[in-house]
Amino acid sequence: MKILHITPEIAPWSKAGGLGDATSALAKNLAALGHEVRVASPLYGSVPGREKMGTLLDSLKVDVGGDPAKAACRVRSLELAPKAQAWFIEHEDYYGAREIYPAREDTAERAAFFGRAALDACLQLGWIPDVIHCHDWTTGLVPVLLNTTLKASPLGRCASVLSIHNLQHQGLLSRRILPFLRLPEWLFKAEELECLGGVNFLKGGILHATRVITVSPTYAQEILTPAFGFGLQDVVQRRQASLDGILNGVDLDEWDAHKDKHLAQTFSAQDLSGKRTCKQDLQKEFKLAQADVPLIGVISRLWDQKGLDLAVQVLPKFLRSDRLQFVLLGSGDSWLEQEYRRLADNFPGRAGVRIGYDHALSHRIEAGCDFFLMPSRFEPCGLNQMYSMAYGTLPIVRATGGLADTVRHWNPSTRQGTGIVFQHTDVGAVDWAIEQALALYARPDDFVSAQKQAMQAEFSWLKSAQAHLVCYGKAIQQH
Ligand code: ADP
């Protein structure tokens, strides 16, 4: 198959969260299965290594309205793997700044342009994919283009798939985007793209993609309901027959405790001794006491979604009585950053907080902690709980979305389980879950057994890529 991904993020060149990890790992694994893969994404000012990129198209005319001087771009390219190539859409005005999602006047154009540019690149190169796989709201109007403006073009025969990595972010923007993309005005109605007086990018993608994917089976069910649908539950229900939930995986090139170059010492399920060294190393890095108390870690965006406002209310009780140590790496809402900074100030030697983004440190936290906390209100898939399990760090998670699909609650009678799972979004439930974790840590045999089960759980991208191929096959048939 020829498969084109269109995505706002591709790791390691551009990554704001799990989406960047997912697109690059999926592309590499689809290529490893013998398919021809291209991944189109913007060349942001922050993308490293552009001097190593080739030029695929020096001047590509992009069929958009607006200022004619802005309707062209350069397409740079890079080999991701044999048979897999990244295409970077280079356009100084739109993407020259460093941020991936800046707050700007031209957000709609910025999002729409690179999707249309990717399609125009295919037309110009005569490379016509069998499937066009779009990711998240920024690419939501691509399936709409394929069904309308481009229906009679060679791309009209392409099946399209839209992955929803997070339904909360929908791209509700001005209707001026319709003439910009040369989309027909009849699309501006409630049964189509209109939403609260604007155009909803993600709604367009959900309605027009041949098939829709969520990044976990449980999330596919959750978004059919008002509690998780963010107002689009009716739209998702209309597409229920074409909806699949496919879990992301763990990229073993990046997350393998046995050969991770970021760690003080590597380790495996057979020999966990290196993990102790990693814990000591992390304690040192955060100036924590070198003590044998359970160490709980967090790496996260500090947003409402992640439920870390609940955790910050619960943690002082445990820290005060010296029953655990805590480290956090993340950034986001400033009031929550402030709350966590204060936690570290109040408990020196027991809690450490780093506000910011640090790839190498994220590896050391996954390896050095005993538990990893994710009290998310919703979690489309979540990657950190899988990385944690691969590193023998037991996740403490709320039973939602991909967390529910990947972590098995420890059962003391069967001695089976890979973490601690709780149900409710409240302070009491987080408190209960941490108590469970501490009780498990206090039984070393059980704790090590859970660690080994977690490390042996298989979350392979190959399996995920195969499931995607089944979905692509259905999409091609449907189209
Ligand atoms: P989301 O995509 O909602 O942010 P995921 O768990 O799916 O959550 O993916 C988050 C990804 O981003 C993981 O790879 C995680 O390690 C990484 N990450 C998040 N915050 C940071 C940070 N401050 N520093 C380093 N990596 C981070």
Side-chain angles (χ1 to χ4, degrees):
M1 257 184 235
K2 285 187 180 148
I3 303 157
L4 171 69
H5 290 270
I6 308 182
T7 169
E9 296 179 37
I10 176 168
W13 296 280
S14 55
K15 167 175 161 174
L19 171 60
D21 286 348
T23 50
S24 71
L26 180 57
K28 281 189 276 181
N29 281 277
L30 288 168
L33 289 167
H35 302 278
E36 213 179 304
V37 185
R38 304 288 178 266
V39 187
S41 150
L43 187 71
Y44 305 108
S46 51
V47 169
R50 62 186 65 205
E51 62 289 347
K52 290 196 210 107
M53 294 178 186
T55 298
L56 188 69
L57 294 166
D58 197 35
S59 176
L60 173 68
K61 168 104 188 55
V62 182
D63 195 5
V64 290
D67 178 358
K70 288 173 77 173
C73 65
R74 190 145 67 132
V75 183
R76 311 287 296 267
S77 68
L78 221 152
E79 291 302 306
L80 285 173
K83 289 171 108 59
Q85 208 176 53
W87 291 353
F88 289 99
I89 310 300
E90 184 174 11
H91 189 295
E92 190 52 33
D93 280 356
Y94 286 135
Y95 314 118
R98 296 188 59 79
E99 303 100 299
I100 298 179
Y101 305 109
R104 284 172 42 150
E105 284 279 306
D106 61 351
T107 296
E109 277 187 27
R110 258 182 109 248
F113 184 87
F114 78 89
R116 177 69 219 214
L119 299 177
D120 281 320
C122 290
L123 288 170
Q124 171 128 2
L125 294 165
W127 190 84
I128 305 301
D130 299 295
V131 178
I132 298 180
H133 188 160
C134 304
H135 296 269
D136 268 355
W137 75 265
T138 53
T139 63
L141 298 185
V142 168
V144 186
L145 277 168
L146 296 174
N147 284 353
T148 55
T149 312
L150 289 169
K151 200 176 171 71
S153 81
L155 292 172
R157 74 168 180 80
C158 304
S160 61
V161 169
L162 173 80
S163 274
I164 302 174
H165 297 260
N166 190 331
L167 189 66
Q168 185 174 22
H169 307 296
Q170 300 179 1
L172 181 54
L173 296 161
S174 162
R175 67 184 292 182
R176 286 199 300 270
I177 203 63
L178 295 180
F180 179 79
L181 274 183
R182 308 197 194 291
L183 285 168
E185 278 295 327
W186 61 258
L187 288 167
F188 194 73
K189 57 183 175 198
E191 312 81 81
E192 285 284 344
L193 277 54
E194 190 269 328
C195 184
L196 303 171
V199 161
N200 186 318
F201 277 55
L202 193 63
K203 182 182 180 192
I206 294 170
L207 288 174
H208 283 266
T210 319
R211 293 192 72 83
V212 178
I213 294 176
T214 60
V215 283
S216 69
T218 294
Y219 195 56
Q221 296 305 309
E222 288 174 338
I223 62 172
L224 297 165
T225 67
F228 294 89
F230 287 99
L232 288 187
Q233 60 275 9
D234 297 345
V235 176
V236 179
Q237 282 167 19
R238 278 165 64 189
R239 299 306 318 276
Q240 193 173 1
S242 298
L243 180 64
D244 296 301
I246 305 176
L247 269 179
N248 288 332
V250 172
D251 185 355
L252 291 175
D253 290 341
E254 183 63 40
W255 294 99
D256 182 353
H258 193 49
K259 48 176 203 239
D260 188 329
K261 58 185 186 312
H262 300 293
L263 308 187
Q265 198 177 327
T266 57
F267 55 93
S268 65
Q270 289 69 40
D271 179 6
L272 281 163
S273 57
K275 190 166 168 68
R276 263 196 301 280
T277 312
C278 292
K279 181 171 176 177
Q280 287 159 359
D281 184 56
L282 192 64
Q283 287 171 323
K284 221 177 287 165
E285 183 159 0
F286 279 94
K287 300 191 171 61
L288 307 183
Q290 297 273 323
D292 181 21
V293 284
L295 175 53
I296 298 184
V298 169
I299 304 162
S300 185
R301 292 180 292 119
L302 301 178
W303 286 3
D304 184 63
Q305 176 198 338
K306 301 292 180 179
L308 290 161
D309 52 315
L310 304 174
V312 81
Q313 297 176 59
V314 171
L315 287 163
K317 171 189 125 180
F318 293 98
L319 289 164
R320 210 170 289 126
S321 52
D322 216 1
R323 295 174 65 205
L324 57 77
Q325 292 180 340
F326 176 77
V327 295
L328 174 138
L329 166 65
S331 62
D333 289 339
S334 52
W335 74 269
L336 200 52
E337 290 182 356
Q338 200 48 42
E339 287 290 309
Y340 275 100
R341 277 202 185 98
R342 192 174 346 196
L343 187 79
D345 289 345
N346 289 344
F347 297 100
R350 296 179 193 176
V353 166
R354 191 78 54 87
I355 300 299
Y357 191 94
D358 186 333
H359 182 68
L361 178 57
S362 74
H363 281 246
R364 294 197 293 277
I365 291 178
E366 291 291 9
C369 288
D370 300 299
F371 295 98
F372 191 91
L373 181 62
M374 293 179 82
S376 306
R377 292 190 163 82
F378 70 95
E379 194 60 75
C381 176
L383 292 170
N384 276 314
Q385 82 281 13
M386 294 191 267
Y387 301 158
S388 300
M389 285 187 267
Y391 282 57
T393 300
L394 302 183
I396 305 171
V397 302
R398 194 174 96 73
T400 181
L403 301 177
D405 291 333
T406 52
V407 184
R408 283 182 297 127
H409 183 62
W410 175 259
N411 180 335
S413 39
T414 58
R415 302 188 71 234
Q416 295 290 311
T418 56
I420 304 293
V421 183
F422 62 97
Q423 295 293 331
H424 298 286
T425 312
D426 60 41
V427 170
V430 178
D431 182 272
W432 176 86
I434 294 177
E435 288 287 2
Q436 299 298 305
L438 300 190
L440 178 56
Y441 187 83
R443 296 190 303 274
D445 286 352
D446 284 358
F447 181 66
V448 170
S449 165
Q451 280 183 305
K452 291 192 170 171
Q453 290 177 53
M455 291 181 88
Q456 277 150 6
E458 202 211 328
F459 301 110
S460 89
W461 266 112
L462 210 54
K463 210 162 92 185
S464 180
Q466 280 159 342
H468 278 89
L469 286 168
V470 172
C471 171
Y472 297 162
K474 286 193 274 189
I476 289 167
Q477 227 169 26
Q478 245 168 284
H479 189 69

